[in-house]
Amino acid sequence: ETGVTQTPRHLVMGMTNKKSLKCEQHLGHNAMYWYKQSAKKPLELMFVYSLEERVENNSVPSRFSPECPNSSHLFLHLHTLQPEDSALYLCASSQGYRDNYGYTFGSGTRLTVV
Amino acid sequence: GNSVTQMEGPVTLSEEAFLTINCTYTATGYPSLFWYVQYPGEGLQLLLKATKADDKGSNKGFEATYRKETTSFHLEKGSVQVSDSAVYFCALSDRSTSTGAGSYQLTFGKGTKLSVIP
């Protein structure tokens, strides 16, 4: 365990479904991140939250909707996804927003859209 | 902008062989450099880091030295084990020009898959 917990580990959903990914950290970190990892592509930063406020949204389609109710929890709400959205979704946290100490990653949620 | 270039994989080695995974970078400032490792079915874990030129990061037998003159941060291990099979990501953290003063942008390479066979 790294201190960042993601659930579920695996998720299969249809294109018309609505589901949510959950991320939880109890490291006392103030910033949390969503990344998308697709095969043969670099890690893509999707969203950044600092002290529960969204500070970055990197041109992500609106079918992905993040939520950060407190500094320990981060959600990614999914609806009407496409097959190309199938990927590993990684959550990460850091002490401060984009600080220089490195990030702590969760184990990811493997999402398959059918 | 910032970028990280890693050697293309996959890399296949026999157990106890010497490992080098090359990483070079471009950055506008004075970045910190990282190696992350991703074991099968897991997220990324910080393996080692170096924050200034000539620093050597080390962990679990892996080493990398921050070379400013060659803008490189090559990962090395003297004797690999089967358990080292994973994907290795080089990354840099540099002052971000797009997200405000005092913040750092983390940029990853594409990753290098290492397979170690008995």
Side-chain angles (χ1 to χ4, degrees), chain A residues 39-58:
Chain A
K40 301 189 189 306
K41 293 176 71 174
L43 279 163
E44 300 173 55
L45 179 62
M46 302 175 71
F47 300 104
V48 182
Y49 276 82
S50 175
L51 297 171
E52 303 147 44
E53 181 181 339
R54 190 191 311 181
V55 292
E56 290 184 49
N57 175 352
N58 291 341

Side-chain angles (χ1 to χ4, degrees), chain A residues 4-58:
Chain A
V4 177
T5 303
Q6 289 187 245
T7 54
R9 290 295 302 271
H10 302 273
L11 178 62
V12 179
M13 60 185 288
M15 289 189 283
T16 58
N17 291 159
K18 288 185 180 180
K19 296 286 184 184
S20 296
L21 310 185
K22 180 182 177 182
C23 176
E24 187 173 352
Q25 61 92 6
H26 295 290
L27 300 169
H29 289 175
N30 292 317
M32 297 184 78
Y33 310 80
W34 278 117
Y35 279 87
K36 177 183 179 183
Q37 186 178 30
S38 305
K40 301 189 189 306
K41 293 176 71 174
L43 279 163
E44 300 173 55
L45 179 62
M46 302 175 71
F47 300 104
V48 182
Y49 276 82
S50 175
L51 297 171
E52 303 147 44
E53 181 181 339
R54 190 191 311 181
V55 292
E56 290 184 49
N57 175 352
N58 291 341

Side-chain angles (χ1 to χ4, degrees), chain B residues 28-77:
Chain B
T28 53
Y30 298 92
S32 294
L33 301 173
F34 305 84
W35 277 101
Y36 283 84
V37 58
Q38 185 176 32
Y39 297 104
E42 300 293 328
L44 277 68
Q45 299 175 28
L46 180 64
L47 180 60
L48 54 83
K49 68 177 184 181
T51 57
K52 61 183 187 298
D54 299 325
D55 267 3
K56 178 186 284 188
S58 61
N59 186 23
K60 299 182 181 179
F62 291 89
E63 292 182 340
T65 301
Y66 189 140
R67 301 283 188 203
K68 190 168 183 294
E69 63 277 13
T70 53
T71 61
S72 65
F73 193 54
H74 305 321
L75 182 68
E76 297 181 335
K77 186 174 186 183

Side-chain angles (χ1 to χ4, degrees), chain A residues 2 9 35 37 42-43 56 88 90 97-103 105-107, chain B residues 32 34 36 38 41-44 46 49 89 93 99 103-106 108 110:
Chain A
T2 64
R9 290 295 302 271
Y35 279 87
Q37 186 178 30
L43 279 163
E56 290 184 49
L88 181 68
L90 292 166
Y97 168 47
R98 290 191 175 279
D99 65 23
N100 206 23
Y101 301 107
Y103 297 176
F105 283 84
S107 297
Chain B
S32 294
F34 305 84
Y36 283 84
Q38 185 176 32
E42 300 293 328
L44 277 68
L46 180 64
K49 68 177 184 181
F89 293 88
S93 176
T99 54
S103 66
Y104 290 83
Q105 178 166 311
L106 191 63
F108 286 93
K110 291 186 178 181

